[in-house]
Amino acid sequence: MESTLFGLTGIQFLFLALYGLFMGFERAGIRTINMPIIPFVISALGPMQAMGYMLPMVIISDIFSITYYKRSADWNILKRSFPGAILGIILGTAIGKHLSVPAFKCIVGVIIIISLCFILYNDLKKKHIENPKATLILGLSFAFFTGLASMLGASGGPVILAFLLLLNLPKDKLIGTSSYFFFMVNICKLPMYFFVWHNISMTSFLANLTLIPVLALGIFLGLLIVKHFTTKFYRIFIIIISFLSAVRLFF
């Protein structure tokens, strides 16, 4: 197949564009909706190249998300849990080139499914985490696996969302808190990708700039949809999509 723009084949560029569209939906508040497309992008471009092309687009979309939802974030949760994500990113950087991508995807899938089972059990028992010590320990643990999963397979979203769902946050606060969490994680990943893995270049950055209209379309459509979600429906929706995304990681 002949190369097209930015050294990408037609099918590679198409998958990257689809990822941009779904990322727009995701950052508008329809969390984890982009997960099903990630394995296709990784298969088409290869793990390292795919993550180098995806991260600039993610950060561009993050900037919109934190601007739109800036008043909804819970900074107490962020400050107490985010150090765990930093440790996960550091570990992911160290082992990223030595760990089998399929094996790691299966590990992430298991973590997500266990997290969702925990959420469903608590929902059936009508219990939610309120103990500060338990919240701190679980927050650091979920954040750690989020940083690790995000660094190695761009699959950390469902993990931290599982923790936020356990806290029974209302829809806007869940979206706002996760928006800032994702932004901080991705900013921390940027120097690791650039200086350690060397998979971000001017070429990948320019490719992302050409896809901003696609990203903007996804954001616009996502906002139209998410404003009609009640907190209860939104919670159910996130659980279902996260479960399907976890299953997809096994194949």
Side-chain angles (χ1 to χ4, degrees):
M1 236 186 262
E2 294 183 0
S3 293
T4 58
L5 290 173
F6 313 108
L8 298 173
T9 64
I11 192 67
Q12 289 173 330
F13 195 80
L14 174 61
F15 278 129
L16 199 61
L18 286 173
Y19 177 76
L21 180 66
F22 278 84
M23 178 54 66
F25 278 108
E26 207 275 347
R27 288 309 191 251
I30 309 178
R31 293 293 186 235
T32 72
I33 194 69
N34 64 325
M35 288 291 294
I37 194 66
I38 291 175
F40 293 100
V41 180
I42 291 176
S43 297
L45 278 75
M48 282 294 168
Q49 186 181 15
M51 289 188 285
Y53 272 84
M54 289 189 293
L55 185 60
M57 189 183 305
V58 171
I59 292 176
I60 292 170
S61 63
D62 281 335
I63 293 171
F64 161 80
S65 192
I66 63 173
T67 301
Y68 192 85
Y69 291 107
K70 61 185 177 182
R71 298 185 179 181
S72 302
D74 189 320
W75 283 98
N76 286 327
I77 294 173
L78 290 168
K79 287 187 290 186
R80 290 163 66 88
S81 61
F82 190 73
I86 296 175
L87 294 177
I89 291 169
I90 292 172
L91 178 59
T93 302
I95 67 175
K97 291 190 175 182
H98 307 288
L99 186 66
S100 163
V101 172
F104 182 77
K105 285 166 61 178
C106 289
I107 293 171
V108 175
V110 170
I111 293 170
I112 294 171
I113 289 175
I114 291 174
S115 302
L116 294 176
C117 288
F118 193 20
I119 291 167
L120 291 174
Y121 174 80
N122 277 3
D123 282 354
L124 289 174
K125 295 293 185 179
K126 299 188 183 302
K127 294 180 179 179
H128 298 286
I129 301 174
E130 296 179 355
N131 183 287
K133 186 176 181 180
T135 301
L136 176 61
I137 294 172
L138 284 173
L140 289 170
S141 301
F142 275 85
F144 170 79
F145 284 111
T146 298
L148 186 61
S150 181
M151 192 68 195
L152 296 178
S155 305
V159 182
I160 196 63
L161 286 171
F163 170 64
L164 297 177
L165 287 170
L166 283 172
L167 301 180
N168 201 29
L169 299 178
K171 181 184 74 174
D172 286 351
K173 183 166 284 191
L174 190 153
I175 296 174
T177 304
S178 60
S179 294
Y180 273 94
F181 190 94
F182 295 146
F183 176 68
M184 293 188 295
V185 164
N186 291 321
I187 289 297
C188 289
K189 286 165 55 178
L190 189 59
M192 305 297 185
Y193 277 37
F194 192 82
F195 294 109
V196 181
W197 288 358
H198 307 290
N199 59 343
I200 290 182
S201 63
M202 183 58 70
T203 300
S204 62
F205 180 72
L206 291 175
N208 277 271
L209 291 181
T210 66
L211 292 172
I212 286 179
V214 178
L215 180 64
L217 176 62
I219 290 171
F220 174 75
L221 295 176
L223 288 174
L224 291 179
I225 296 171
V226 78
K227 70 179 183 180
H228 296 294
F229 287 2
T230 64
T231 294
K232 183 178 180 180
F233 178 82
Y234 184 76
R235 182 181 180 85
I236 295 171
F237 175 83
I238 293 298
I239 290 173
I240 291 173
I241 295 296
S242 295
F243 175 77
L244 294 176
S245 299
V247 171
R248 179 66 184 86
L249 290 171
F250 294 103
F251 302 98

